[in-house]
Protein backbone atom coordinates (compact mmCIF):
# COMPACT_ATOMS: atom_id res chain seq x y z
CA UNK A 1 0.00 0.00 0.00
CA UNK A 2 3.04 2.25 0.21
CA UNK A 3 3.53 4.56 -2.73
CA UNK A 4 5.39 7.78 -3.36
CA UNK A 5 3.54 10.86 -2.05
CA UNK A 6 1.24 12.56 -4.51
CA UNK A 7 1.26 16.35 -4.96
CA UNK A 8 -1.80 18.35 -3.86
CA UNK A 9 -4.62 18.23 -6.42
CA UNK A 10 -4.57 21.11 -8.88
CA UNK A 11 -7.51 23.49 -8.99
CA UNK A 12 -8.49 21.99 -12.33
CA UNK A 13 -8.43 18.46 -10.87
CA UNK A 14 -10.47 19.63 -7.89
CA UNK A 15 -13.05 21.19 -10.20
CA UNK A 16 -13.20 17.96 -12.19
CA UNK A 17 -13.76 15.90 -9.04
CA UNK A 18 -16.56 18.17 -7.88
CA UNK A 19 -18.24 18.09 -11.28
CA UNK A 20 -17.88 14.31 -11.58
CA UNK A 21 -19.22 13.68 -8.09
CA UNK A 22 -22.13 16.02 -8.72
CA UNK A 23 -23.02 14.14 -11.90
CA UNK A 24 -22.87 10.75 -10.17
CA UNK A 25 -24.95 12.04 -7.26
CA UNK A 26 -27.53 13.46 -9.64
CA UNK A 27 -27.83 10.14 -11.45
CA UNK A 28 -28.29 8.33 -8.15
CA UNK A 29 -30.94 10.77 -6.95
CA UNK A 30 -32.89 10.52 -10.19
CA UNK A 31 -32.79 6.73 -10.04
CA UNK A 32 -33.89 6.76 -6.42
CA UNK A 33 -36.79 9.15 -7.02
CA UNK A 34 -38.21 6.99 -9.78
CA UNK A 35 -37.87 3.73 -7.85
CA UNK A 36 -39.24 4.60 -4.42
CA UNK A 37 -42.90 4.30 -3.40
CA UNK A 38 -44.54 6.80 -1.10
CA UNK A 39 -44.86 4.49 1.91
CA UNK A 40 -42.60 5.15 4.89
CA UNK A 41 -39.97 2.68 6.00
CA UNK A 42 -40.40 0.74 9.25
CA UNK A 43 -37.79 -0.99 11.45
CA UNK A 44 -38.80 -4.37 10.00
CA UNK A 45 -38.25 -3.29 6.39
CA UNK A 46 -35.32 -0.83 6.50
CA UNK A 47 -31.92 -1.75 7.96
CA UNK A 48 -28.78 0.40 7.99
CA UNK A 49 -25.40 -1.32 7.65
CA UNK A 50 -21.86 -0.01 7.71
CA UNK A 51 -19.19 1.64 9.78
CA UNK A 52 -19.12 4.23 12.58
CA UNK A 53 -20.80 6.85 10.38
CA UNK A 54 -23.84 4.62 9.92
CA UNK A 55 -23.66 3.70 13.62
CA UNK A 56 -23.93 7.39 14.54
CA UNK A 57 -20.63 7.60 16.42
CA UNK A 58 -20.14 11.20 17.47
CA UNK A 59 -23.81 11.78 18.19
CA UNK A 60 -25.06 12.70 21.64
CA UNK A 61 -26.90 9.67 23.03
CA UNK A 62 -24.92 6.42 23.03
CA UNK A 63 -26.98 3.25 23.25
CA UNK A 64 -24.24 0.71 22.49
CA UNK A 65 -20.72 0.73 23.93
CA UNK A 66 -19.39 -1.97 21.63
CA UNK A 67 -20.42 -0.60 18.24
CA UNK A 68 -20.73 3.01 19.49
CA UNK A 69 -24.23 3.47 18.11
CA UNK A 70 -26.24 6.55 19.03
CA UNK A 71 -29.83 7.66 18.74
CA UNK A 72 -28.63 10.31 16.27
CA UNK A 73 -27.56 7.67 13.73
CA UNK A 74 -29.30 8.31 10.43
CA UNK A 75 -30.85 4.80 10.18
CA UNK A 76 -32.41 5.28 13.61
CA UNK A 77 -33.68 8.79 12.86
CA UNK A 78 -35.20 7.51 9.63
CA UNK A 79 -37.16 4.80 11.42
CA UNK A 80 -34.92 1.87 10.55
CA UNK A 81 -32.94 -0.74 12.43
CA UNK A 82 -29.29 0.17 12.95
CA UNK A 83 -26.97 -2.83 12.51
CA UNK A 84 -23.83 -0.76 11.81
CA UNK A 85 -20.69 -0.85 13.93
CA UNK A 86 -17.62 1.27 14.63
CA UNK A 87 -14.61 0.10 12.63
CA UNK A 88 -16.55 -1.95 10.11
CA UNK A 89 -15.15 -2.66 6.66
CA UNK A 90 -16.84 -3.93 3.52
CA UNK A 91 -15.76 -7.56 3.77
CA UNK A 92 -14.37 -10.02 6.28
CA UNK A 93 -15.77 -12.38 8.88
CA UNK A 94 -15.73 -9.95 11.81
CA UNK A 95 -17.20 -6.44 11.96
CA UNK A 96 -17.95 -6.08 8.27
CA UNK A 97 -20.96 -5.38 6.10
CA UNK A 98 -20.83 -9.01 4.97
CA UNK A 99 -21.22 -10.19 8.57
CA UNK A 100 -23.85 -7.52 9.30
CA UNK A 101 -25.95 -8.85 6.43
CA UNK A 102 -27.00 -11.67 8.76
CA UNK A 103 -29.47 -9.14 10.20
CA UNK A 104 -31.39 -9.07 6.90
CA UNK A 105 -34.18 -11.34 5.71
CA UNK A 106 -36.59 -11.73 2.83
CA UNK A 107 -38.93 -9.07 4.23
CA UNK A 108 -36.24 -6.36 4.18
CA UNK A 109 -37.07 -3.84 1.47
CA UNK A 110 -34.55 -1.03 2.11
CA UNK A 111 -30.86 -1.29 2.96
CA UNK A 112 -28.36 1.53 3.27
CA UNK A 113 -24.62 0.98 3.48
CA UNK A 114 -21.96 3.46 4.58
CA UNK A 115 -18.59 1.78 4.27
CA UNK A 116 -15.21 2.20 2.60
CA UNK A 117 -13.35 4.71 4.77
CA UNK A 118 -11.90 2.01 7.05
CA UNK A 119 -10.98 -0.15 4.07
CA UNK A 120 -8.52 2.51 2.92
CA UNK A 121 -7.47 3.76 6.37
CA UNK A 122 -9.04 7.19 6.04
CA UNK A 123 -9.23 7.78 9.78
CA UNK A 124 -5.54 7.05 10.25
CA UNK A 125 -4.72 9.45 7.42
CA UNK A 126 -6.64 12.28 9.07
CA UNK A 127 -4.99 11.67 12.44
CA UNK A 128 -1.48 11.44 10.97
CA UNK A 129 -1.96 14.59 8.91
CA UNK A 130 -3.05 16.60 11.95
CA UNK A 131 0.48 16.11 13.29
CA UNK A 132 3.67 17.88 12.29
CA UNK A 133 5.31 15.12 10.24
CA UNK A 134 4.56 16.21 6.69
CA UNK A 135 6.40 13.26 5.15
CA UNK A 136 4.30 10.77 7.11
CA UNK A 137 1.17 12.68 6.10
CA UNK A 138 2.00 12.56 2.40
CA UNK A 139 2.85 8.87 2.61
CA UNK A 140 -0.45 8.14 4.37
CA UNK A 141 -2.48 10.05 1.77
CA UNK A 142 -0.70 8.26 -1.07
CA UNK A 143 -1.26 4.87 0.57
CA UNK A 144 -4.97 5.49 1.08
CA UNK A 145 -5.37 6.70 -2.50
CA UNK A 146 -3.59 3.61 -3.82
CA UNK A 147 -5.87 1.37 -1.72
CA UNK A 148 -8.91 2.72 -3.58
CA UNK A 149 -8.23 0.34 -6.45
CA UNK A 150 -9.26 -2.62 -4.30
CA UNK A 151 -12.36 -1.01 -2.80
CA UNK A 152 -14.79 -1.81 -5.67
CA UNK A 153 -14.15 -5.53 -5.19
CA UNK A 154 -14.92 -5.29 -1.49
CA UNK A 155 -18.04 -3.20 -2.04
CA UNK A 156 -19.29 -5.60 -4.71
CA UNK A 157 -18.84 -8.54 -2.33
CA UNK A 158 -20.80 -6.67 0.35
CA UNK A 159 -23.61 -5.85 -2.08
CA UNK A 160 -23.86 -9.49 -3.15
CA UNK A 161 -24.04 -10.61 0.49
CA UNK A 162 -26.92 -8.19 1.08
CA UNK A 163 -28.76 -9.41 -2.00
CA UNK A 164 -28.40 -13.03 -0.89
CA UNK A 165 -30.11 -12.26 2.43
CA UNK A 166 -32.59 -9.66 1.15
CA UNK A 167 -33.25 -10.27 -2.55
CA UNK A 168 -36.14 -7.77 -2.69
CA UNK A 169 -34.28 -4.91 -1.01
CA UNK A 170 -33.48 -1.62 -2.66
CA UNK A 171 -29.84 -0.98 -1.75
CA UNK A 172 -28.30 2.48 -1.38
CA UNK A 173 -24.63 3.19 -0.75
CA UNK A 174 -23.81 6.55 0.84
CA UNK A 175 -20.80 8.78 0.58
CA UNK A 176 -18.85 10.70 3.20
CA UNK A 177 -18.66 14.43 4.00
CA UNK A 178 -15.59 16.47 3.17
CA UNK A 179 -13.97 17.00 6.56
CA UNK A 180 -12.72 20.54 6.22
CA UNK A 181 -13.95 24.00 5.36
CA UNK A 182 -10.51 24.89 4.08
CA UNK A 183 -10.78 28.68 3.98
CA UNK A 184 -11.67 28.79 7.68
CA UNK A 185 -8.47 27.04 8.78
CA UNK A 186 -5.11 28.65 9.57
CA UNK A 187 -3.17 29.27 6.39
CA UNK A 188 -0.52 26.67 7.22
CA UNK A 189 -3.15 23.92 7.53
CA UNK A 190 -5.03 24.68 4.33
CA UNK A 191 -2.90 22.74 1.78
CA UNK A 192 -3.09 19.40 3.62
CA UNK A 193 -6.79 19.93 4.44
CA UNK A 194 -7.46 20.47 0.73
CA UNK A 195 -5.57 17.25 -0.04
CA UNK A 196 -7.64 15.27 2.45
CA UNK A 197 -10.85 16.71 1.01
CA UNK A 198 -9.65 15.73 -2.46
CA UNK A 199 -8.93 12.17 -1.29
CA UNK A 200 -12.42 11.99 0.25
CA UNK A 201 -13.91 13.11 -3.06
CA UNK A 202 -12.05 10.28 -4.78
CA UNK A 203 -13.39 7.84 -2.17
CA UNK A 204 -16.92 9.09 -2.80
CA UNK A 205 -16.58 8.80 -6.57
CA UNK A 206 -15.29 5.23 -6.18
CA UNK A 207 -18.28 4.30 -4.02
CA UNK A 208 -20.70 6.02 -6.41
CA UNK A 209 -19.41 4.36 -9.56
CA UNK A 210 -19.32 0.96 -7.85
CA UNK A 211 -22.92 1.43 -6.72
CA UNK A 212 -24.07 2.22 -10.24
CA UNK A 213 -22.14 -0.66 -11.78
CA UNK A 214 -23.86 -3.03 -9.37
CA UNK A 215 -27.35 -1.68 -9.97
CA UNK A 216 -27.64 0.00 -6.58
CA UNK A 217 -28.24 3.65 -5.69
CA UNK A 218 -25.89 6.28 -4.29
CA UNK A 219 -26.74 9.00 -1.78
CA UNK A 220 -24.38 11.95 -1.88
CA UNK A 221 -23.94 13.78 1.44
CA UNK A 222 -21.02 16.06 0.69
CA UNK A 223 -23.14 18.96 -0.52
CA UNK A 224 -25.19 18.92 2.70
CA UNK A 225 -22.02 19.51 4.70
CA UNK A 226 -20.66 22.37 2.59
CA UNK A 227 -19.77 25.27 4.88
CA UNK A 228 -20.00 23.02 7.95
CA UNK A 229 -16.65 21.25 7.97
CA UNK A 230 -13.86 21.59 10.52
CA UNK A 231 -12.74 25.21 10.27
CA UNK A 232 -16.22 26.65 9.74
CA UNK A 233 -18.11 28.81 12.21
CA UNK A 234 -20.77 26.08 12.55
CA UNK A 235 -18.98 22.72 12.20
CA UNK A 236 -21.04 19.55 11.84
CA UNK A 237 -17.92 17.39 12.24
CA UNK A 238 -15.90 16.83 15.40
CA UNK A 239 -12.39 18.25 15.33
CA UNK A 240 -9.72 16.47 17.39
CA UNK A 241 -10.00 17.53 21.02
CA UNK A 242 -13.45 19.13 20.84
CA UNK A 243 -15.17 16.27 22.70
CA UNK A 244 -14.46 14.04 25.69
CA UNK A 245 -13.94 11.01 23.45
CA UNK A 246 -10.95 10.84 21.13
CA UNK A 247 -12.71 8.30 18.90
CA UNK A 248 -15.29 10.93 17.91
CA UNK A 249 -12.70 12.98 15.99
CA UNK A 250 -13.56 13.36 12.29
CA UNK A 251 -17.10 11.99 12.80
CA UNK A 252 -20.26 14.03 12.34
CA UNK A 253 -21.77 15.53 15.45
CA UNK A 254 -25.51 15.50 16.17
CA UNK A 255 -26.09 18.35 13.72
CA UNK A 256 -24.15 16.51 11.06
CA UNK A 257 -26.34 13.44 11.34
CA UNK A 258 -29.62 15.34 11.68
CA UNK A 259 -29.07 18.04 9.06
CA UNK A 260 -26.50 16.32 6.86
CA UNK A 261 -27.11 12.60 6.58
CA UNK A 262 -30.82 12.34 7.39
CA UNK A 263 -32.12 14.62 4.58
CA UNK A 264 -29.60 13.17 2.11
CA UNK A 265 -30.66 9.57 2.76
CA UNK A 266 -34.39 10.08 3.36
CA UNK A 267 -35.40 10.00 -0.37
CA UNK A 268 -33.94 6.49 -0.65
CA UNK A 269 -35.73 4.90 2.29
CA UNK A 270 -38.96 6.88 2.63
Amino acid sequence: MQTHPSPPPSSARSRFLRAFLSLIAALGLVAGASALPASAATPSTYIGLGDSIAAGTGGTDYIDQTCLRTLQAYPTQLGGTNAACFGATATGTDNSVVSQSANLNASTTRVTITVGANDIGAGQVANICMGTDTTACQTAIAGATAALKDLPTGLTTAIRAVRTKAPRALITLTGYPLLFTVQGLPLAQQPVAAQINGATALLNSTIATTALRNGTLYADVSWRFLGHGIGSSDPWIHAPGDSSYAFEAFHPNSKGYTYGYVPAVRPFVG
Side-chain angles (χ1 to χ4, degrees), residues 78-160:
L78 290 168
T81 297
N82 187 359
C85 195
F86 185 94
T89 54
T91 62
T93 56
D94 298 319
N95 202 11
S96 69
V97 170
V98 170
S99 61
Q100 291 169 13
S101 67
N103 293 280
L104 310 177
N105 55 55
S107 67
T108 305
T109 59
R110 299 287 187 276
V111 176
T112 55
I113 305 172
T114 302
V115 77
N118 291 325
D119 296 75
I120 67 169
Q124 294 91 320
V125 171
N127 281 305
I128 290 170
C129 289
M130 289 298 98
T132 58
D133 189 337
T134 57
T135 300
C137 173
Q138 295 303 312
T139 301
I141 291 174
T145 302
L148 281 172
K149 72 180 186 302
D150 297 320
L151 183 58
T153 299
L155 292 174
T156 298
T157 299
I159 291 167
R160 288 173 179 168

Side-chain angles (χ1 to χ4, degrees), residues 3-85:
T3 62
H4 293 292
S6 301
S10 66
S11 59
R13 179 177 174 79
S14 297
R15 288 194 297 271
F16 170 79
L17 287 172
R18 289 194 297 270
F20 176 77
L21 192 57
S22 178
L23 173 61
I24 293 296
L27 288 172
L29 286 169
V30 169
S34 64
L36 298 176
S39 59
T42 67
S44 62
T45 60
Y46 164 41
I47 297 181
L49 309 179
D51 58 23
S52 54
I53 303 297
T57 304
T60 303
D61 304 301
Y62 282 93
I63 57 175
D64 181 299
Q65 294 303 312
T66 300
C67 286
L68 300 178
R69 301 184 184 107
T70 68
L71 292 177
Q72 286 69 43
Y74 74 80
T76 302
Q77 292 199 61
L78 290 168
T81 297
N82 187 359
C85 195

